[in-house]
Amino acid sequence: MISADHYLEPPTSSGRRPLAGVHRTRRRARRPTGLPDRAVHGDAWPGNIVRTAEGVLMMDLERFSVGPPEWDLVSTAVRAKTTGAVSAREYDRFCAVYGYDVTAWEGYPVLARARELRMVTYAAQHAANNAEWRSQAQYRIDCLRGRSGPRPWSWTGIL
């Protein structure tokens, strides 16, 4: 197997700092008071929802646990605020239905950066074996390194 480093621009010592900073921020941060813990999916996004004749089903439950609902909510917020995959109108409707906008919570930046980093590493992992995704993985890395302007960035789906 060829590693993603073979295809993606290797980080310079200065290029690693922004990514390391995300990790350090998340590790040091204590979760601010938010919503009470409850059942959370752990990887909530539209690709894990299936509509059937009987109703809506959640799939991919290996990360299901009890924890902060903000972790699930931040997934949709990142799709709106970071990747542009959810329009402002759609996000406003989502918040109205849920009754809460996680972006107003003081812990949002920490969880959003963790989600973004997760989305970048996922893309890099798949880029190692699929040339079609290499430019998207590099683009995501460049976004986190501050090379692609302000959010929202136009990330496209992987898989």
Side-chain angles (χ1 to χ4, degrees), residues 117-146:
L117 182 59
R118 187 171 175 230
M119 294 169 78
V120 168
T121 58
Y122 178 81
Q125 174 188 0
H126 287 285
N129 296 315
N130 190 321
E132 177 184 336
W133 297 328
R134 290 183 194 133
S135 64
Q136 179 61 208
Q138 186 63 58
Y139 174 60
R140 291 180 184 195
I141 290 167
D142 291 343
C143 289
L144 289 192
R145 288 182 176 168

Side-chain angles (χ1 to χ4, degrees), residues 26 31 34-45 63-78 94 98 100 102 105 107-119:
R26 183 170 183 240
R31 180 171 54 127
L35 298 171
D37 284 359
R38 60 185 73 161
V40 293
H41 182 274
D43 191 20
W45 70 286
R63 292 180 185 94
F64 182 86
S65 64
V66 173
E70 290 88 357
W71 182 243
D72 278 349
L73 296 173
V74 81
S75 182
T76 301
V78 164
F94 171 83
Y98 197 86
Y100 184 76
V102 72
W105 175 59
Y108 172 75
V110 172
L111 292 187
R113 300 304 82 84
R115 275 283 180 195
E116 291 169 356
L117 182 59
R118 187 171 175 230
M119 294 169 78

Side-chain angles (χ1 to χ4, degrees), residues 52-67:
T52 69
E54 290 80 37
V56 177
L57 298 174
M58 294 291 288
M59 301 181 353
D60 200 12
L61 299 173
E62 70 270 7
R63 292 180 185 94
F64 182 86
S65 64
V66 173

